[in-house]
Amino acid sequence: MDSILDSVKFDDRGLVSAIAQDISSGDVLMLAYMNRDTLKETLEKNVMVYFSRSRQKRWFKGETSGHVQKVREVYIDCDGDALLFKVEQTGAACHENYFSCFFRQHKENSWKIIRTKIEE
Amino acid sequence: MDSILDSVKFDDRGLVSAIAQDISSGDVLMLAYMNRDTLKETLEKNVMVYFSRSRQKRWFKGETSGHVQKVREVYIDCDGDALLFKVEQTGAACHENYFSCFFRQHKENSWKIIRTKIEE
């Protein structure tokens, strides 16, 4: 595990970018961050565990909402400073209850909501 | 254009994360950054123009390699601090000549190359 973690280039805050992509639809769900500990936990448990920059603490995705992201495949980029996780998304990835956080599209010089919220 | 740009939350370095995704295959190609000027240029010209953090300058993707990324769709996330661009990728997105920068997958406790280089 250490050799895997050592190939990752964490930034000056100790974080690496983590893109979550839904493995079925190919939808990019969200972009967040992990530190070494939460990346290790993610790889060990096969569920996404981020590090919240705003709260400065471990963030087990879905801990309260149940919207867990089960990890299926993990990729690293050429520079080693970004990770791509193909996941099985339970419910909504977005805290606003959209499947993807990227639910607004640039159209006619504004951001239009192009997805519908998931009903619980 | 200003209202669009004003909705984007640039970080303390003046940058926003930009994910490029191939619109045909759904492959996530790369993660890089834009400042306000290069985002404006990207939206005006419909080709990806990043801001290189290492070189601290404008980076017109494909300027020397010809591996231009034509912008087809643009999305913003819930927090406004990440952008997703669906693009038409010409040639390789990666400077190592792989279609995607995420060409290494986590397998059996190492990073295995799972793509082949694009022949020019």
Side-chain angles (χ1 to χ4, degrees):
Chain A
M1 175 66 84
D2 273 349
S3 67
I4 282 287
L5 297 172
D6 288 344
S7 340
V8 177
K9 285 191 196 136
F10 297 95
D11 68 12
D12 50 11
R13 300 162 301 179
L15 301 179
V16 65
S17 299
I19 301 168
Q21 181 180 28
D22 181 58
I23 196 163
S24 305
S25 62
D27 289 351
V28 174
L29 299 171
M30 56 186 283
L31 171 66
Y33 301 86
M34 293 179 178
N35 63 7
R36 189 175 170 109
D37 285 349
T38 58
L39 172 56
K40 184 163 184 271
E41 188 177 355
T42 296
L43 295 177
E44 284 172 348
K45 297 185 178 164
N46 284 311
V47 286
M48 294 295 273
V49 187
Y50 300 99
F51 185 84
S52 166
R53 291 183 302 171
S54 54
R55 287 175 281 127
Q56 283 291 306
K57 58 184 267 196
R58 174 182 174 276
W59 167 29
F60 175 21
K61 177 74 182 167
E63 191 160 33
T64 50
S65 65
H67 295 169
V68 173
Q69 296 175 326
K70 186 174 174 187
V71 176
R72 289 279 299 277
E73 297 173 5
V74 186
Y75 300 84
I76 190 167
D77 79 347
C78 45
D79 297 326
D81 64 357
L83 301 170
L84 170 65
F85 295 83
K86 296 200 182 182
V87 303
E88 288 174 34
Q89 174 67 51
T90 307
C94 185
H95 69 288
E96 295 194 32
N97 235 30
Y98 294 97
F99 184 63
S100 163
C101 292
F102 296 94
F103 60 83
R104 292 179 292 162
Q105 185 176 5
H106 180 217
K107 286 187 177 179
E108 295 158 8
N109 208 30
S110 71
W111 297 108
K112 306 266 192 214
I113 295 176
I114 47 86
R115 288 181 177 259
T116 52
K117 294 197 183 199
I118 290 180
E119 301 292 330
E120 295 289 316
Chain B
M1 174 67 83
D2 274 349
S3 67
I4 283 287
L5 297 172
D6 289 343
S7 340
V8 178
K9 285 192 197 136
F10 297 95
D11 67 13
D12 50 12
R13 300 162 301 178
L15 301 179
V16 65
S17 300
I19 301 168
Q21 181 179 29
D22 180 59
I23 196 162
S24 305
S25 63
D27 288 351
V28 175
L29 299 171
M30 56 186 284
L31 170 66
Y33 300 86
M34 293 178 178
N35 63 7
R36 190 175 170 109
D37 285 349
T38 58
L39 172 56
K40 183 163 184 273
E41 188 178 355
T42 296
L43 295 176
E44 284 171 349
K45 297 186 178 164
N46 284 314
V47 287
M48 294 295 272
V49 186
Y50 300 99
F51 184 84
S52 166
R53 293 183 303 172
S54 54
R55 287 175 282 127
Q56 283 290 306
K57 58 184 267 197
R58 173 184 176 275
W59 167 28
F60 174 22
K61 177 74 183 166
E63 190 160 32
T64 51
S65 65
H67 296 169
V68 172
Q69 296 176 327
K70 187 174 174 186
V71 176
R72 290 279 300 276
E73 297 172 4
V74 185
Y75 301 84
I76 190 169
D77 79 346
C78 45
D79 298 327
D81 64 358
L83 301 170
L84 170 65
F85 296 83
K86 295 200 183 181
V87 303
E88 288 174 34
Q89 175 68 50
T90 307
C94 185
H95 69 289
E96 296 194 31
N97 235 30
Y98 294 97
F99 184 64
S100 162
C101 292
F102 297 94
F103 60 83
R104 290 178 293 162
Q105 186 177 3
H106 180 216
K107 286 188 178 180
E108 296 159 5
N109 209 30
S110 72
W111 297 109
K112 306 266 192 215
I113 295 177
I114 47 85
R115 288 179 178 260
T116 52
K117 293 196 182 197
I118 290 180
E119 302 292 332
E120 292 291 312

